[in-house]
Amino acid sequence: MFKCKKCHSSDKFELMFNPEYQGSCTFEYQYTLNNDIKITVDGYTFIPDLSFMNRHAVCKYCGSINSWDYE
Ligand SMILES: [Zn+2]
């Protein structure tokens, strides 16, 4: 799980996209056996890490961009 460095909310991955993201934002997720979240965006499946979050995810609580840490 990830935590916003600005408002300290944890996001269980109701990820919002960086406004510059150009894809269609078709988004779904599921959990792996290890309880990691696995995301599929526009047909591309991956397990997000901190660098992904800090490149693409916007905090839905405070709107901060690229301000994540591991919880
Ligand atoms: Zn925040």
Side-chain angles (χ1 to χ4, degrees), residues 36-52:
D36 287 323
I37 196 155
K38 192 168 78 176
I39 302 223
T40 303
V41 178
D42 296 344
Y44 173 66
T45 300
F46 60 98
I47 293 173
D49 62 7
L50 196 57
S51 94
F52 170 84

Side-chain angles (χ1 to χ4, degrees), residues 4-5 7 9 13 15 17 20 24-25 27-30 33-36 40 45 50 52-53 55 59-61 66 68:
C4 175
K5 285 194 266 189
C7 71
S9 301
F13 232 85
L15 157 85
F17 287 91
E20 290 170 23
S24 67
C25 295
F27 167 71
E28 54 192 69
Y29 65 88
Q30 62 192 103
L33 295 177
N34 295 331
N35 229 14
D36 287 323
T40 303
T45 300
L50 196 57
F52 170 84
M53 292 295 287
R55 269 181 293 147
C59 177
K60 74 173 175 181
Y61 301 101
N66 312 341
W68 299 95

